[in-house]
């Protein structure tokens, strides 16, 4: 057998072990082979412990416990794959016939008994190589231990890692064994002495748990080392009954199921009205079948971001999102009622069901949504009712939303009332027009604004743009609403004070408007009637649907440009945007979708994609406006790539005219 190098020190040698029968034997063996390990006997919480460990290999020992091992593999598989780690499984010889089940559950390597210590260490080294190759090729970040909480023992002294010394307040990084014991409670000292005695009795590795001074508990993993010993501290999180920490789903970064249940329990104790939406994604199995687990994971991550964006736009900080299991997400809204829950559900459905692009292919998902209203309800009961509502929605072909109130009735038939409310809201000026600045990246000067709409509902408060247009679609009022927003923005802009006379005004236009005969003439006439100069108007084509007839669209947009207006494609780079638009349509600007603007601080691959879009625009003589810019780092990178303008919360949220005057004056 070819010689394989021993594991390197540090992160590459980190190993997470889950063994139901042979934990001590395994930890002793791998310790002699030079691996630092964190070991567990129970599958409960294994995923979170594996992620926190920083290990690049998860070792599941299924010898004599095959069924438990399969469950553990499934629990660890997503975290291992998403974070470029290997998953090695030890099997009894009789279980090799079921190897297909092991790999289907997510294992990357296996080793069947009987095997000796050298064979086990060799298998670990090959698993480490696999993880190293994955870490060099995938764009998702590999697992990394946030802090090296470790120590070594030599000549009666404990030499602490920098992070551990900082936590304990030890200035020189060295303490005596007696001082170390004093840092523990009386009961924990007894556990530490017992663990030390086990090492003296011949155990190669052992562990004990203890409380942390800042709250929570930790496991202390001890290993015999040459001329001494070493230790690794693994924080376990908060103790039972203490304030719960926020646990994250490793694939999407959203709250996980356990954290969601704790949040629900806290809201139930407050007896606050709560709306829940359980979102189930369909067709994902087709992507898994054709593109494998990696393709499905990437699509889940993209869908999670869309759900997150739809909720944020609709209800801002009153909403939260969790990934419960597989392709199901839970959305919670505090102080919600049936109307608002229905609006948010429609906004989520609309966001999810826009096409997903993974060149050279296009994917479409459908979303089934079940929702419930709850007041002081036990979390398990509320979730069961949401699951029942989702099951009802799944019985319907295509997209479906099923919302149940506290009595189990379906309040959605009140769509007629929503339509009536929206008509009245338009007439009563409840639809407010705000302006978000567009800033020259080089000079920092505000060059223009985009007109945006918000519904100031007398009972529901602020209703965001996504939820507003979702309601308009159900009420068949999209054309009426769009024209109202355009007209109101033009009227307000024509009355701006002199200090704003240099600003351009961007108005959103939907593709179906452009397709209507006489659109360009009607739009120019509307602008002229307002008194606002055509030369300061930009029409942004939004992407709720495909532009089917590019030739007709090109003719209409050319008329607008000849009339003095400018034209932009909104949200370019996602949604329905196409390179065909660049070839066929007369454009002045590309608006870089906010997800691309924010991704520029991600991986090198993300930056290459953004750079490619900006370079295309510049090569065609088209300006590039970056949307959704929120940090100085994003702005600096966009500037370096040659972006022209930006808008986003880094400058300002959508604001009224008085605030706009103040902001322009200050700049």
């Amino acid at each position: 057998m070819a010689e394989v190098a021993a594991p390197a020190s540090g992160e590459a040698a980190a190993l997470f072990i889950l063994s139901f029968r042979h934990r001590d034997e395994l930890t002793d063996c791998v310790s002699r082979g030079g691996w630092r390990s964190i070991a567990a006997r129970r599958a409960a919480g294994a995923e979170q412990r594996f992620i926190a460990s920083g290990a690049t290999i998860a070792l599941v020992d299924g010898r004599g416990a095959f069924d438990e091992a399969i469950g553990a593999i499934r629990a660890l598989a997503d975290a291992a794959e998403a974070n470029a780690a290997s998953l090695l499984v030890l099997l009894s010889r009789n279980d090799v016939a079921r190897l297909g089940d092991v790999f289907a559950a997510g294992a990357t390597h296996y080793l069947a008994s009987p095997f000796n210590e050298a064979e086990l260490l060799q298998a670990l080294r090959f698993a480490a190589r696999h993880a190293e190759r994955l870490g060099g090729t995938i764009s998702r970040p590999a697992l990394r231990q946030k802090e090296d909480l470790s120590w070594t023992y030599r000549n009666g002294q404990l030499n602490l890692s920098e992070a551990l010394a900082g936590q304990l307040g030890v200035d020189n990084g060295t303490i005596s064994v007696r001082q170390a014991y004093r840092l523990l409670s009386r009961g924990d000292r007894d556990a530490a002495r017992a663990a030390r005695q086990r090492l003296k009795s011949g155990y190669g590795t052992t562990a004990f748990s203890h409380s942390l001074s800042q709250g929570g508990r930790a496991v202390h993993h001890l290993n015999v080392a040459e001329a001494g010993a070493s230790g690794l501290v693994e924080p376990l999180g908060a103790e039972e009954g203490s304030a719960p920490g926020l646990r994250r789903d490793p694939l999407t970064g959203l709250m996980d199921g356990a954290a969601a249940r704790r949040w629900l329990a806290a809201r139930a104790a407050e007896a606050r009205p709560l709306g829940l939406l359980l979102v189930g994604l369909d067709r994902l199995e087709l992507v898994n079948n054709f593109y494998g687990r990696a393709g499905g994971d990437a699509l889940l991550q993209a869908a999670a971001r869309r759900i997150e964006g739809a909720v944020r736009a609709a209800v801002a900080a009153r909403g939260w999102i969790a990934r419960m299991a597989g392709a199901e997400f839970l959305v919670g809204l505090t102080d919600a009622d049936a109307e608002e829950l229905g609006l948010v559900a429609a906004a989520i459905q609309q966001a999810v069901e826009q096409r997903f692009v993974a060149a050279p292919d296009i994917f479409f998902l459908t979303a089934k949504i079940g929702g419930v209203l709850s007041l002081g309800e036990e979390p398990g009961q509320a979730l069961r009712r949401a699951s029942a509502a989702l099951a009802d929605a799944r019985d319907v072909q295509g997209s479906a939303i099923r919302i149940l109130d506290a009595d189990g009735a379906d309040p959605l038939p009140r769509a007629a009332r929503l339509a009536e409310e929206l008509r009245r809201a338009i007439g009563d000026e409840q639809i407010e027009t705000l302006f978000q600045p567009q800033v020259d990246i080089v000079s920092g000067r505000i060059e223009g604004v985009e007109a945006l709409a918000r519904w100031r509902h007398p009972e529901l408060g602020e209703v965001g743009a996504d939820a507003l247009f979702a309601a308009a679609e159900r009420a068949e009022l999209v054309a009426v609403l769009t024209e109202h927003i355009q007209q109101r923005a033009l009227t307000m802009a024509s009355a701006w004070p002199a200090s704003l006379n240099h600003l351009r005004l961007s108005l959103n236009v939907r593709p179906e408007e452009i397709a209507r005969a006489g659109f360009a003439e009607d739009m120019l006439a509307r602008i002229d009637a307002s008194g606002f100069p055509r030369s300061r108007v930009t029409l942004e084509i939004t992407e709720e649907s495909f532009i089917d007839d590019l030739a007709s669209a090109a003719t209409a947009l050319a008329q607008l440009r000849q009339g003095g207006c400018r034209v932009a494609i909104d949200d370019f780079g996602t949604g329905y945007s196409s390179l065909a638009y660049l070839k066929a349509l007369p454009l002045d600007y590309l608006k870089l979708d906010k997800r691309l603007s924010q991704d520029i601080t991600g991986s090198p691959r993300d930056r290459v994609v953004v750079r490619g879009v900006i370079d295309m625009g510049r090569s065609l003589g088209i300006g590039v406006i970056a949307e959704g810019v929120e940090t100085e780092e994003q702005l600096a990178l966009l500037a370096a790539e040659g972006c022209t303008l930006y808008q986003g919360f880094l400058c300002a949220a959508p604001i009224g005219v008085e605030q706009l005057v103040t902001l322009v004056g200050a700049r």
Side-chain angles (χ1 to χ4, degrees):
M1 184 178 293
E3 184 67 23
V4 179
S9 60
E11 288 177 351
L15 176 66
F16 177 80
I17 297 174
L18 177 58
S19 178
F20 304 97
R21 304 283 190 275
H22 314 284
R23 188 186 72 167
D24 293 340
E25 170 193 332
L26 271 177
T27 53
D28 198 19
C29 174
V30 300
S31 175
R32 289 194 297 271
W35 297 83
R36 290 195 310 161
S37 64
I38 288 178
R41 278 199 178 97
R42 293 186 297 274
E47 182 181 14
Q48 284 72 31
R49 292 187 68 182
F50 168 59
I51 294 167
S53 73
T56 53
I57 302 174
L59 174 61
V60 177
D61 184 4
R63 292 174 295 169
F66 184 85
D67 291 338
E68 294 100 316
I70 286 292
I73 296 167
R74 291 195 182 103
L76 293 168
D78 279 344
E81 185 168 355
N83 294 284
S86 296
L87 210 169
L88 171 62
V89 181
L90 306 182
L91 297 174
S92 300
R93 179 62 59 183
N94 294 336
D95 291 326
V96 173
R98 303 169 68 181
L99 196 56
D101 295 336
V102 172
F103 285 114
T108 61
H109 299 74
Y110 84 99
L111 182 64
S113 62
F115 53 80
N116 59 33
E117 182 173 316
E119 290 170 326
L120 173 60
L121 296 177
Q122 190 81 342
L124 286 172
R125 289 164 187 149
F126 279 119
R129 277 189 177 180
H130 175 76
E132 184 177 356
R133 285 196 297 270
L134 284 179
T137 57
I138 69 169
S139 61
R140 284 170 289 185
L143 285 166
R144 292 293 181 264
Q145 181 83 12
K146 290 182 178 178
E147 295 179 307
D148 177 22
L149 304 178
S150 63
W151 52 264
T152 57
Y153 173 76
R154 296 287 186 278
N155 302 321
Q157 295 290 317
L158 273 67
N159 299 303
L160 311 180
S161 68
E162 183 177 352
L164 185 58
Q167 282 201 10
L168 299 178
V170 177
D171 293 334
N172 60 6
T174 301
I175 59 174
S176 67
V177 174
R178 184 185 296 274
Q179 290 171 315
Y181 277 130
R182 288 175 181 168
L183 296 173
L184 301 173
S185 67
R186 186 177 300 277
D188 290 341
R189 290 177 200 168
D190 293 339
R193 290 190 179 98
R196 186 182 183 191
Q197 189 59 43
R198 288 194 294 274
L199 292 182
K200 289 183 177 180
S201 301
Y203 285 79
T205 63
T206 189
F208 70 96
S209 64
H210 60 91
S211 297
L212 296 171
S213 59
Q214 64 270 38
R217 292 189 66 77
V219 175
H220 227 100
H221 300 269
L222 309 179
N223 295 270
V224 172
E226 185 177 352
S230 65
L232 179 65
V233 182
E234 177 201 4
L236 294 180
E239 295 183 80
E240 192 69 29
S242 64
L246 180 62
R247 290 172 30 163
R248 293 286 181 182
D249 168 56
L251 182 65
T252 64
L254 299 174
M255 195 186 303
D256 69 6
R261 289 182 177 86
R262 288 200 298 268
W263 193 95
L264 287 172
R267 300 293 81 73
E270 296 170 357
R272 294 179 65 180
L274 181 66
L276 297 180
L277 295 172
L278 193 57
V279 182
L281 305 182
D282 288 348
R283 300 182 183 171
L284 191 67
E285 69 279 359
L286 297 177
V287 179
N288 284 327
N289 290 340
F290 281 103
Y291 294 92
R293 195 184 190 97
D297 284 353
L299 200 57
L300 268 176
Q301 290 171 323
R305 299 288 78 77
R306 289 194 184 180
I307 295 170
E308 195 173 26
V311 173
R312 180 178 178 181
V315 294
R318 288 197 298 118
W320 55 267
I321 311 152
R323 183 187 176 207
M324 300 303 287
E328 290 188 1
F329 297 84
L330 184 69
V331 175
L333 282 71
T334 55
D335 303 320
D337 61 14
E339 287 88 350
E340 184 174 42
L341 205 58
L343 288 172
V344 175
I348 291 171
Q349 194 172 73
Q350 183 183 44
V352 168
E353 295 185 355
Q354 292 184 26
R355 69 177 182 172
F356 293 84
V357 180
D361 298 306
I362 297 172
F363 306 109
F364 290 91
L365 297 179
T366 57
K368 305 291 182 66
I369 303 177
V372 296
L373 294 169
S374 177
L375 179 63
E377 191 173 14
E378 190 268 330
Q381 178 63 22
L383 289 173
R384 282 191 291 273
R385 291 203 301 120
S387 296
L390 177 58
D392 286 349
R394 290 192 189 279
D395 288 338
V396 179
Q397 290 292 328
S399 306
I401 298 173
R402 172 76 164 156
I403 308 288
L404 304 177
D405 63 18
D407 298 322
D410 187 349
L412 277 188
R414 286 180 275 184
R417 175 191 165 190
L418 283 178
E420 183 180 346
E421 284 190 350
L422 184 54
R423 285 185 187 277
R424 188 165 57 249
I426 293 173
D428 293 348
E429 300 295 333
Q430 292 178 18
I431 310 302
E432 182 182 19
T433 301
L434 301 174
F435 302 96
Q436 186 165 38
Q438 296 176 340
V439 186
D440 183 276
I441 286 184
V442 175
S443 67
R445 186 172 185 253
I446 296 176
E447 298 288 348
V449 293
E450 179 183 1
L452 299 170
R454 297 292 185 271
W455 182 0
R456 299 292 182 182
H457 195 285
E459 297 176 6
L460 301 178
E462 181 177 304
V463 177
D466 289 344
L468 170 60
F469 275 94
E473 285 184 3
R474 285 204 300 277
E476 298 183 355
L477 291 172
V478 173
V480 174
L481 176 62
T482 301
E483 183 175 338
H484 173 78
I485 295 168
Q486 293 168 353
Q487 185 64 59
R488 181 172 171 79
L490 285 165
T491 301
M492 293 174 66
S494 65
W496 280 346
S499 61
L500 304 184
N501 279 348
H502 68 287
L503 295 186
R504 299 193 60 79
L505 173 66
S506 291
L507 302 174
N508 289 316
V509 178
R510 296 165 69 91
E512 52 266 39
E513 286 186 87
I514 300 172
R516 179 172 47 82
F519 161 74
E521 294 88 344
D522 291 346
M523 177 58 73
L524 291 172
R526 186 176 303 143
I527 296 170
D528 291 342
S530 72
F532 194 78
R534 293 182 183 181
S535 60
R536 288 166 54 198
V537 174
T538 299
L539 300 173
E540 297 186 4
I541 305 170
T542 58
E543 292 195 284
E544 284 80 8
S545 60
F546 285 111
I547 301 176
D548 294 316
D549 189 345
L550 285 175
S552 296
T555 300
L557 297 180
Q559 285 182 262
L560 290 169
R561 294 184 80 212
Q562 290 167 5
C565 299
R566 296 183 192 176
V567 176
I569 285 286
D570 200 10
D571 297 331
F572 191 84
T574 60
Y576 293 99
S577 63
S578 165
L579 294 178
Y581 293 0
L582 295 183
K583 294 194 298 181
L585 301 179
L587 301 172
D588 297 284
Y589 300 106
L590 297 180
K591 293 198 71 178
L592 197 66
D593 181 80
K594 63 183 178 182
R595 282 159 288 189
L596 288 180
S597 299
Q598 292 164 3
D599 282 349
I600 197 169
T601 58
S603 69
R605 178 174 293 186
D606 292 327
R607 288 194 289 278
V608 168
V609 172
V610 178
R611 182 182 302 132
V613 174
I614 295 174
D615 285 346
M616 278 193 299
R618 293 171 63 191
S619 298
L620 294 170
I622 300 172
V624 180
I625 304 173
E627 287 192 281
V629 179
E630 297 182 352
T631 68
E632 292 287 355
E633 182 184 9
Q634 292 167 2
L635 181 60
L637 291 171
L638 289 164
E641 298 298 344
C643 205
T644 312
L645 300 162
Y646 83 91
Q647 71 181 82
F649 285 94
L650 180 61
C651 175
I655 54 180
V657 175
E658 290 184 4
Q659 293 169 291
L660 181 61
V661 170
T662 302
L663 184 62
V664 169
R667 282 178 171 254

